[in-house]
Amino acid sequence: MNLIIDVGNTYVKFAVYMEGELKEKVVGELKDFESMVSGVISDHPKINQAIVSSVGKLEGSTIKSLEDKVKVLELSHKLKLPFTNLYATPTTLGVDRIALVSASVEQFPDHNVLIIDAGTCITYDFINTKNEYLGGAISPGIRLRYRTLNNLTANLPLLETEMPQDILGDSTQNSIHSGVVFGVLKEIDGVIDEYVRKYSDLTVILTGGDTKFLSNQLKNSIFANSNFLLEGLNFILEYNTK
């Protein structure tokens, strides 16, 4: 039984997998890490190994306390990976992106795949039919765009995410919603269109915290899977321990 730990910019996710099947997922704040992981292990005493992916700040002492409970693998570019990494700076490729590409290898082998992770940032990652990771793009996510408009201007308010009714904003608030949300949707559809021009047989995966909000608004055909990163981490753990 595997324990999957994904430490993001905002939250930490714990997932329990057995033979490739998700048994439980728990989401919480980083400050509650030790109490949450103890609870998950207590509820699933058959957990015998774990993988940790951290783009946030996870102290070494926290990892050490986890290692006292189970065998731990920390995700990095140094691990054995199920694809060829042709990124120009492979040591800087984020662990979250490594996990997403690994998931695509397991679930869509020998395909041209574009993985879009819509979270704090929106990342685009592309792997071709030869199992070669070529790169992608990084841009601000929905909440980051709302916060930036508020933080870097004198008079614009911080709004909660809301789907605008029309692209023509008839008030400051509606204009912000239009600019942020339609900006993201047009960006994602535009990026997909560019990839389709080069790779007509493209498979597109949408994942991340904003998957549900965005998935029904895009004009392009996609596979939506909010657990794609966790599935990739589980695959990497199995790939390195079998």
Side-chain angles (χ1 to χ4, degrees), residues 51 65 67 90 128 138 142 144 146 153 169-170 226:
I51 185 168
S65 68
E67 290 175 335
N128 64 18
I138 304 172
I142 290 177
L144 192 52
Y146 276 112
T153 63
D170 59 1
S226 59

Side-chain angles (χ1 to χ4, degrees), residues 48-76:
N48 59 356
Q49 59 183 5
I51 185 168
V52 177
S53 167
S54 178
V55 299
K57 296 179 180 179
L58 196 63
E59 296 179 358
S61 58
T62 303
I63 295 290
K64 180 63 174 62
S65 68
L66 180 61
E67 290 175 335
D68 292 338
K69 299 178 178 68
V70 294
K71 181 181 178 182
V72 178
L73 196 69
E74 287 189 69
L75 180 56
S76 76

Side-chain angles (χ1 to χ4, degrees), residues 3-14:
L3 175 60
I4 312 304
I5 304 173
D6 171 31
V7 183
N9 291 299
T10 308
Y11 297 104
V12 56
K13 298 176 183 176
F14 300 91

Side-chain angles (χ1 to χ4, degrees), residues 9-192:
N9 291 299
T10 308
Y11 297 104
V12 56
K13 298 176 183 176
F14 300 91
V16 178
Y17 279 87
M18 185 169 68
E19 298 180 352
E21 183 181 348
L22 178 64
K23 295 297 183 181
E24 183 180 10
K25 183 171 75 171
V26 179
V27 181
E29 297 183 11
L30 186 56
K31 64 182 178 63
D32 300 320
F33 183 96
E34 294 197 29
S35 62
M36 291 178 68
V37 76
S38 295
V40 172
I41 292 176
S42 176
D43 290 342
H44 302 276
K46 291 185 179 181
I47 290 173
N48 59 356
Q49 59 183 5
I51 185 168
V52 177
S53 167
S54 178
V55 299
K57 296 179 180 179
L58 196 63
E59 296 179 358
S61 58
T62 303
I63 295 290
K64 180 63 174 62
S65 68
L66 180 61
E67 290 175 335
D68 292 338
K69 299 178 178 68
V70 294
K71 181 181 178 182
V72 178
L73 196 69
E74 287 189 69
L75 180 56
S76 76
H77 67 277
K78 297 179 181 179
L79 288 184
K80 182 173 67 172
L81 301 176
F83 59 89
T84 302
N85 188 353
L86 298 183
Y87 209 44
T89 55
T91 62
T92 69
L93 183 62
V95 290
D96 51 341
R97 300 173 77 185
I98 289 173
L100 292 169
V101 174
S102 298
S104 75
V105 170
E106 180 187 27
Q107 299 181 33
F108 300 94
D110 305 319
H111 282 61
N112 290 315
V113 183
L114 176 65
I115 310 110
I116 304 169
D117 185 6
T120 302
C121 291
I122 301 172
T123 59
Y124 302 85
D125 292 290
F126 178 75
I127 185 165
N128 64 18
T129 56
K130 298 178 182 179
N131 206 35
E132 297 169 330
Y133 174 73
L134 302 184
I138 304 172
S139 73
I142 290 177
R143 289 310 305 164
L144 192 52
R145 297 183 194 211
Y146 276 112
R147 292 192 195 105
T148 300
L149 288 175
N150 174 246
N151 290 337
L152 299 183
T153 63
N155 298 313
L156 295 181
L158 178 61
L159 305 179
E160 292 300 315
T161 304
E162 181 180 307
M163 186 65 205
Q165 299 302 309
D166 196 298
I167 196 167
L168 198 163
D170 59 1
S171 67
T172 297
Q173 291 198 1
N174 288 340
S175 294
I176 292 173
H177 289 310
S178 176
V180 170
V181 177
F182 283 124
V184 167
L185 290 170
K186 297 301 182 184
E187 174 192 304
I188 293 175
D189 273 325
V191 170
I192 294 172

